Amino acid sequence: MTSVSIGLALGGGVARGWCHIGVLRTLIQAGYEPDVVAGTSIGAVVGGFYLAGRLDQLEAWARALDRRKVRSLMDISLRSGGLIAGQKLKDLLEENAGGVLIEHLNRNFAAVTTELKTGHEIWLRDGRLTRAMRASYALPGVFPAVNIDGRWYVDGALTNPVPTAAARAMGARLVIGVGLHVDGQLADDDMGEPGPFGENGNGETGAATWGDWIRPEKIVSRLVFGKPREGPGLAATMTGALNIILDRLTRVRLAGNPADAMIEPDVSHIGLLEFDRADELIALGAQAAEKALPLIERLANTLD
């Protein structure tokens, strides 16, 4: 529909990132297929799968997730450099996108990450796509840092939650940003309701068995995802702090390098760890993108 080069900046948002699938579907259907994609954290995962021609596979997998399947992917290991070793997720990425090189994609792509030693924002634009994805979502304390050519990288959301600058630097004339932290609120689920592991740390409600308590991974599961007697638990505190930091940082970064059009799904009622709500999140992303289409059309006509 337009000859203007369109850039899509997909922001970080943990489980809320499934919204990006709905955004992409809506934009493409309306004729605004992005020429450039920059992604942070889960935004890098969705954007990378899209450019690799594997968005259908990612969407089908996301929609099939339930709490028990989410739990099965969390290989807890305190020796890995994070709470979750991430090997199961790595294997899943390799199974679906292994062997794909960023430089072989048919459009410009950047996975935004943060160099741990210097704190610099880094745009990964070549090399293995799956490794770049892992470096972009390596949230400190949760996933281990990723080594690339002797340097250690962690989550890109720590430096640029919605990478509009990267999209514009790669040649986009019209930059569309997708932000998932601008609400600055936590869902009720993040404030003490059972997470993916359930109340007793094994995916079910009720009291934990003795076997659950003596196994290290079960102890950690209950401490992190179990429901506390009162007030927010460890997971609620972690996700709450993350949401606040990324909300404020998103505002600062977008003030300095704003998107031409922002798509902001209303996801304040969905917890950052609720990966099992893909159906709802994809629909919310599609709805938010639909609302932004008139503005995108006006901008495209103006810049054309």
Side-chain angles (χ1 to χ4, degrees):
M1 293 180 62
T2 179
S3 60
V4 174
S5 176
I6 296 175
L8 194 57
L10 301 177
V14 201
R16 293 173 176 177
W18 294 143
C19 284
H20 294 318
I21 298 175
V23 170
L24 273 164
R25 297 291 192 199
T26 302
L27 291 178
I28 293 168
Q29 186 176 7
Y32 300 108
E33 188 168 359
D35 303 286
V36 169
V37 176
T40 292
S41 198
I42 195 168
V45 174
V46 176
F49 267 77
Y50 162 64
L51 292 183
R54 292 164 170 81
L55 188 61
D56 289 344
Q57 293 92 318
L58 180 64
E59 180 175 353
W61 178 77
R63 289 184 183 275
L65 284 175
D66 55 28
R67 289 200 167 190
R68 188 170 295 277
K69 290 180 180 178
V70 172
R71 171 184 174 271
S72 71
L73 290 170
M74 295 186 177
D75 45 353
I76 293 174
S77 174
L78 298 181
R79 297 181 179 181
S80 66
L83 178 64
I84 298 171
Q87 186 60 47
K88 292 183 179 180
L89 287 173
K90 178 182 177 182
D91 292 343
L92 191 63
L93 291 177
E94 291 296 332
E95 179 182 344
N96 289 277
V100 177
L101 298 178
I102 295 176
E103 57 266 33
H104 291 169
L105 299 174
N106 59 5
R107 273 159 286 178
N108 285 333
F109 173 72
V112 177
T113 186
T114 303
E115 187 178 2
L116 184 59
K117 184 176 181 179
T118 64
H120 292 164
E121 174 186 342
I122 303 296
W123 304 343
L124 299 177
R125 298 192 57 193
D126 56 28
R128 290 167 47 210
L129 177 62
T130 55
R131 184 174 61 181
M133 291 175 182
R134 290 191 294 109
S136 190
Y137 71 64
L139 185 63
V142 178
F143 292 105
V146 176
N147 189 298
I148 301 177
D149 298 329
R151 295 183 179 182
W152 293 95
Y153 296 95
V154 293
D155 201 315
L158 298 177
T159 49
N160 199 344
V162 183
T164 54
R168 190 163 279 117
M170 289 189 292
R173 183 91 186 278
L174 195 169
V175 175
I176 302 169
V178 185
L180 303 174
H181 293 290
V182 291
D183 51 81
Q185 301 175 20
L186 263 187
D188 290 338
D189 185 80
D190 281 329
M191 291 302 295
E193 291 300 313
F197 286 81
E199 272 196 53
N200 66 356
N202 62 8
E204 302 171 354
T205 57
T209 65
W210 175 250
D212 290 332
W213 283 110
I214 64 175
R215 294 170 59 185
E217 68 272 18
K218 294 296 184 180
I219 295 173
V220 174
S221 298
R222 184 166 176 80
L223 287 174
V224 176
F225 295 102
K227 185 177 180 179
R229 293 182 178 179
E230 61 178 272
L234 180 57
T237 303
M238 290 172 59
T239 55
L242 176 64
N243 197 72
I244 292 168
I245 292 169
L246 296 185
D247 174 29
R248 303 307 188 264
L249 181 56
T250 297
R251 296 170 188 266
V252 171
R253 292 304 304 262
L254 288 179
N257 202 319
D260 298 299
M262 276 297 296
I263 296 175
E264 299 171 347
D266 181 6
V267 292
S268 60
H269 62 291
I270 297 179
L272 297 177
L273 300 176
E274 293 189 276
F275 288 95
D276 55 312
R277 297 179 68 175
D279 289 346
E280 183 178 358
L281 285 162
I282 292 170
L284 289 171
Q287 291 169 13
E290 190 73 32
K291 291 180 181 179
L293 286 179
L295 172 60
I296 293 172
E297 182 179 5
R298 289 197 300 270
L299 291 170
N301 291 335
T302 300
L303 296 172
D304 201 350

